[in-house]
Amino acid sequence: MDDLTELLHTVADEAGRFRAGLPERPVAPRADLAGVLPAFEGPLPDHGVPAGQVIADLIGAGPGLMGSAGPRFFGFVVGGALPAATAADMLATGWDQAAFNAVLSPAAAAAERVAGGWLKDLLGIPAGASVGFVTGAQGGNTVGLAAARQHVLAAAGWDVGARGLTGAPRVRVLAGQERHATIDASLRLLGFGTDGIEAVPADRHGAMDMAALATILAADPADTPLIVCLQAGNVNTGAFDDLRAGAELAHARGGWVHVDGAFGLWAGASPRLRQLVDGVELADSWCADGHKWLNVPYDSGFAFCSRPAAQATAMSYSASYLSGSEAISYGPGDLVPESSRRARGFAVWAALRELGRDGVADLVERCCALARRFADSLTEGGATVVNEVVLNQVLVDVEHPGAADPARVDRIIDAVQREGTCWLGGTTWRGRRLIRVSVSNYATTEADVDASVAAVLRVINGTA
Ligand SMILES: *Cc1c(COP(=O)(O)O)cnc(C)c1O
């Protein structure tokens, strides 16, 4: 074996060993940042170190690894990584392909084109939409809103690509009160700023109040350039905005509708849950994550746009690539912020093929059923679930009634993480400090949920 092949065997063995061990090991890292820094520290070497030694040293940083790919990690919204998707991603690195266009890597371009088509089919997005393979939903929101900015200003006679925003017609940007913070970051990057965001109140579940949307829309002349950000899947409660009503209201005023569907858009892949995204096809741009619910390794997300020319005009740097109006004529690199980029499409293609249509539906439905089980078992154990569990997110209140002590919630979360059976985090929703549970991993079983609930209850009751 040559050196590289031997090295790849070493890392494949290590990755396989790590992943196989996840169900048994404590989920939290054994070392914190300070504990693991020494494994990396030291002066920049004057002379090179043999590759085998470098990799052995890197593997030595293992204690600082989080078990987030494992079946009992319920923090944030974090998926695992399916076997074929993991292996395909390692191939993408081994092959070192640049997913810029079909000349630089025909295979990378083909994988993105085919996987992009499958994604649209699964998620209920029109077949004519363009798809950019981005790093995640933050990237997807930015691309979608850049296309929106391009389009609504062009319709007002302003070429934002050439002239920028200085002196441009005012653009109204509406978004839900409980939008994900990445929407604000995207709007800052795009020069809209955040002060001008018109926040639409949420209903008691955390979805946009559509009557309030109608009222706010009516406050300005109908010909004002308009972008409305809707959300499929509130990151706390899992609630869905009414996409059909929201899109119809916004379109009646000539607005652009962007849907942040980082994890919630996957409900569209399940016949049983699809009604949650009713009307999804009416939007103008969408983002979804691959690395959350599809269980593709980091980093993987998608930016879809019903007007491929708007996406390509906003993103590509060379107008000479823009030959024709069909999505098919745009290269993968014309639809994303990056120029050179790794071949993310291989892992997405692999995940979709490994699961198939019924496998994706089963993954989504299973996670939702397990979230329900989490909620029911914690309720039986005396905790209070404060959200309607419509998807894979559960919000749990563990404060003593009448003795509000938000710090206690964080002490419990900290103790649960240290106990090691599972890992879950906290959130503040409507002024209450809560435990948030997200079930997003393909490998999670009922036994994992039961063991985790038991651990949480032991901590709450002071017996762990
Ligand atoms: C996670 C999430 C994002 C950001 O996604 P990244 O993959 O971290 O970029 C945006 N919106 C929602 C609703 C999310 O859940």
Side-chain angles (χ1 to χ4, degrees):
M1 268 194 289
D2 63 23
D3 288 351
L4 176 62
T5 305
E6 200 177 318
L7 213 49
L8 292 175
H9 277 285
T10 303
V11 297
D13 286 347
E14 162 57 24
R17 192 194 55 75
F18 174 76
R19 293 279 292 277
L22 285 176
E24 317 309 329
R25 59 159 262 185
V27 183
R30 273 187 285 133
D32 62 6
L33 173 63
V36 77
L37 258 180
F40 291 89
E41 265 174 336
L44 171 67
D46 285 330
H47 307 292
V49 174
Q53 184 59 50
V54 172
I55 293 307
D57 291 346
L58 182 57
I59 290 173
L65 297 176
M66 173 68 93
S68 47
R72 291 188 305 282
F73 184 89
F74 305 107
F76 307 95
V77 184
V78 168
L82 289 155
T86 302
D89 218 30
M90 292 177 79
L91 269 178
T93 298
W95 285 338
D96 193 25
Q97 298 292 289
F100 175 65
N101 64 18
V103 174
L104 208 41
S105 177
E112 289 195 10
R113 184 183 298 179
V114 173
W118 290 349
L119 288 166
K120 288 183 280 182
D121 181 7
L122 271 177
L123 301 176
I125 291 170
S130 41
V131 190
F133 283 63
V134 290
T135 48
Q138 172 73 83
N141 280 331
T142 305
V143 172
L145 292 170
R149 183 182 71 162
Q150 162 66 35
H151 180 82
V152 300
L153 282 172
W158 187 269
D159 179 354
V160 69
R163 305 174 77 180
L165 277 180
T166 307
R170 183 171 74 93
V171 178
R172 297 184 76 190
V173 180
L174 276 64
Q177 197 119 47
E178 298 198 13
R179 63 188 176 274
H180 195 271
T182 52
I183 291 286
D184 295 55
S186 296
L187 291 170
R188 280 200 304 272
L189 281 167
L190 290 167
F192 286 123
T194 50
D195 283 357
I197 300 172
E198 296 179 64
V200 184
D203 67 16
R204 67 191 178 86
H205 303 296
M208 185 182 280
D209 177 339
M210 286 296 145
L213 173 64
T215 306
I216 293 173
L217 280 173
D220 245 323
D223 59 351
T224 313
L226 170 69
I227 299 169
V228 176
C229 304
L230 300 178
Q231 179 165 261
N234 178 311
V235 76
N236 283 314
T237 65
F240 287 73
D241 294 351
D242 182 336
L243 301 182
R244 181 175 299 283
E248 284 172 355
L249 285 167
H251 285 162
R253 305 186 60 96
W256 177 287
V257 176
H258 173 74
V259 177
D260 176 359
F263 60 99
L265 223 53
W266 291 99
S270 153
R272 272 196 260 160
L273 297 165
R274 194 168 290 153
Q275 85 282 354
L276 293 169
V277 291
D278 176 56
V280 65
E281 71 283 359
L282 300 176
D284 301 287
S285 58
W286 306 257
C287 82
D289 265 318
H291 54 221
K292 286 180 180 170
W293 226 348
L294 185 58
N295 282 250
V296 170
Y298 288 98
D299 43 29
S300 177
F302 319 109
F304 305 93
C305 185
S306 68
R307 291 181 188 76
Q311 182 167 358
T313 304
M315 287 299 138
S316 70
Y317 59 73
S318 173
S320 67
Y321 293 120
L322 307 183
S323 50
S325 59
E326 307 229 330
I328 223 83
S329 64
Y330 300 117
D334 292 327
L335 301 168
V336 295
E338 301 89 353
S339 170
S340 302
R341 192 169 49 93
R342 71 198 302 270
R344 295 189 188 112
F346 293 140
V348 177
W349 178 85
L352 291 172
R353 209 150 174 254
E354 182 175 12
L355 290 171
R357 190 185 297 278
D358 60 0
V360 178
D362 180 60
L363 163 63
V364 171
E365 289 168 10
R366 201 154 22 89
C367 288
C368 293
L370 291 171
R372 186 72 260 162
R373 185 181 184 92
F374 226 117
D376 291 345
S377 305
L378 283 172
T379 304
E380 271 171 42
T384 307
V385 171
V386 304
N387 68 317
E388 191 185 25
V389 182
V390 293
L391 203 67
N392 61 332
Q393 304 292 108
V394 185
L395 293 180
V396 189
D397 189 350
V398 292
E399 285 190 42
H400 289 305
D405 177 14
R408 177 171 180 267
V409 179
D410 287 302
R411 283 198 301 275
I412 289 173
I413 290 169
D414 189 55
V416 169
Q417 292 173 358
R418 276 187 284 109
E419 194 271 349
T421 302
C422 67
W423 199 102
L424 32 74
T427 189
T428 301
W429 188 63
R430 308 253 164 114
R432 284 161 97 176
R433 195 67 189 148
L434 302 165
I435 294 178
R436 179 173 59 188
V437 178
S438 175
V439 186
S440 313
N441 192 307
Y442 77 96
T444 304
T445 63
E446 290 187 349
D448 287 315
V449 169
D450 294 348
S452 301
V453 168
V456 172
L457 293 175
R458 280 199 305 273
V459 167
I460 292 175
N461 298 323
T463 53

